Every structure is written in structure tokens, then in C-alpha cells.
Amino acid sequence: MKLFSPITINGMTLKNRIVMSPMCMYSCADQSGKVQDWHKVHYPARAVGQVGLIIVEASAVTEQGRISPQDLGIWSDEHVAGLKELVGLVQGQGSKIAIQLAHAGRKAVLDSPIIAPSAIPFNDSSKTPEAMSLEQVKATQQSFIQAARRAQEAGFDAMELHGAHGYLINEFLSPLANHRTDIYGGDRDNRYRFLGEIIDGIRAFWKGPLFVRISANEYHPEGNQIDDFIYFAEQMKAQGIDLIDCSSGSVVPTRIDAYPGYQVPLAHAIKTSTGIATGAVGLITAPEQAEEIISNGRADLILLGRELLRDPYWPRTAAKQLGAELAAPKQYQRGW
Ligand code: FNR
């Protein structure tokens, strides 16, 4: 079974292709952004469930870049100790662990002013962001780079930049949200520059696995199209990105016709057009469906979101259904 075959990505070997998709837990009630007991129970439970790679939820690179005041954070050195503990707990149970580095841009729901490439609100009921000055652009890029440095210090096996779902990096990439007239707006190369410079800044010291999550369909005729994402993917590959995690939508309010595996063709197109490794995500719940995607070379990793909330032992469920071997944690061998 290909789903249960190991894969090595830039030196990181995963025991299977099953990945926990990043999911905000909105559990920092004290607004500190620090790891809470919840995180220390929630993530290691999936490691016990034999998930190959766990991607910790969107973690804010600045306070202003939080989606909500309850978000996990990585904007300060004070966050490192809690994250390090979480890393140890997950690695101690045999899984690899990554963190998603994020800035919410115009989608931040905070009392403070919010920032974006251009002063265009997400929708009629959301706050109008301030258009970022060049100084703010540079400072925010540095925040991503400093966050990556903290992630390295905490011992994460991999990192993912959140370039999807209409958050800040996505806002720069999309002509729907980016109306800038300086070098960070306009044509594709200019819209990519914000992300490209962050990648270069991180790659200067982080040689391990680096992923980018994108929204590879904006569901809008004037938005980026698949050819644009293939173009961006080629740039990312040239800059040493190891894998593109292919999600879609949420850049502007549009209706998405979601059905099982609806985003898989995006991962497939980017993989076959550029040769970069991809992750498939979105309404993948059935073991045979996951096996098909990997076996047919449509993606290299399967990311599960809500199904792993419902069943932390989904790898076991899938192995039983597919008739695959899956080692149990030694404590559970009598009852696995
Ligand atoms: C999400 N999703 C998400 N995506 C992301 O890139 N960063 C995040 O922090 C979050 N947060 C989040 C929270 C919750 C509660 C849900 C349900 C979803 C999206 C998620 O990673 C995934 O892409 C989608 O849920 C689609 O996959 P499933 O759930 O159909 O397997």
C-alpha cells in the first residue's frame, strides 16, 4: 500500500503519507499565543494514532497577524519553550512535526488596526485594512523570518508558510487583493516578491523541509488561474521549496462547490507540470480514496483535516480497511 510507504523529503523521513492538516484550535484563551494543555493533548494523540507528519495550526508571526486573539503564536522568543515541549511530545511518539507560519493580513479579526497589501476589505462586513508601507512590508517579512528561526530553535522537523485562504501572503499573490503600484504589486513577479523574499530569508539558515500552502484556485475570473500557480510553483521550486500543499479559495468571498477530493486536481496539475512534490487536501476521508491519490501519483502526501478530528487513529482505521500493516505503539500491542 503506497499510503503506508515511507517517504523522505529533504532529509526528513515520514513513516507514511498521512499528514495532519494545520487546524486552528483557538485555544489560547489568555491571548498569550503560548502552547496550552490542549495542544499538548491534541497533537500527541495523533502521533499515537500513527500519523506520519503533524502540521501545527497557523501560528501568528506578529500579534497583529493573528486571525483571532486566541491563536497560537510564534512572534516572540517567549513562545519557544512551549513549542519545544510540544515538539518533544510528538517526536517522542514517533511522528514528525511541522509548524505553519501565518499572518492573517486583512482577515485578522482583532480590535487593533489590521494591515494588507491594499486598503480593500475582505467583504462588506470586515474591517478595512491599512495598505502596508514599504517599511511594514520589510518588517513583516522579517517577522516571518524570525518566526522560522524560532521554529528551528524549538526543534520542528519542517515548516510550512501559509500562503493560502486569503491571508497575507495570499493577498500579495492575488490580483484580487493586491492593487499595489510599487514593486510588490502589478505583474506576477511583483506579486510573488513578498513570498519570494521571505523564502530566501528563511532558506539562508533553514536547510530542512520547507513547504508552502497555497489556494490554487481563487474561483474568480479575474483572480490567479492554474497557469499562474504553476508559474509561482516553478519559482518556489527554484528557491528550494520542497512541497506545495494545495488548498483553494477564501481569497475573496465566493461559493465553493466542495465534494470528495475536489482539490486533488490542483495538487496533480502542479506536481505534473513542475515536478515539485505536492500535498492533497480537502474532503479526503476514505482510505481507498487516499490510496488512489498516492498510487496514481496525483500527490505525494495526503493531508487530513476534519477526519483526523473525528478519528485520531485514522491511520489504524485505514490500515484495517486496506489490509495494510501498521505498527502499533508498543503499549497498545495487545489491543491494536
Ligand atoms: C482549518 N483549516 C486550516 N488551514 C490552514 O492552512 N491553517 C489553519 O490553521 C487552518 N485551520 C482550520 C481549523 C479548522 C477547525 C478546520 C476544520 C480547518 C483548513 C484545513 O487545514 C483543511 O485544509 C480543510 O479543513 C479541508 O480538509 P478536510 O477537513 O476536508 O480534511
Side-chain angles (χ1 to χ4, degrees), residues 39 78 95 117 134 168 177 199 203 208 259 262 269 295:
H39 304 107
E78 288 179 17
S95 295
L134 270 182
L168 188 65
I199 295 171
R203 269 289 175 242
Y259 47 85
Y262 69 108
S295 294

Side-chain angles (χ1 to χ4, degrees), residues 258-263 281-286 289 303-304 306 310:
Y259 47 85
Y262 69 108
Q263 293 172 150
V281 64
L283 289 177
I284 302 169
T285 55
Q289 179 194 10
L303 285 89
L304 300 176
R306 290 159 292 181
R310 293 184 282 262

Side-chain angles (χ1 to χ4, degrees), residues 3 16 47 89 91 145 153-154 181-182 185 187 251 259 279 286 322 327:
L3 185 60
N16 58 46
L89 289 168
Q91 289 174 340
I145 295 163
E153 209 181 313
T181 52
D182 62 8
D187 66 17
V251 186
Y259 47 85
L322 295 171

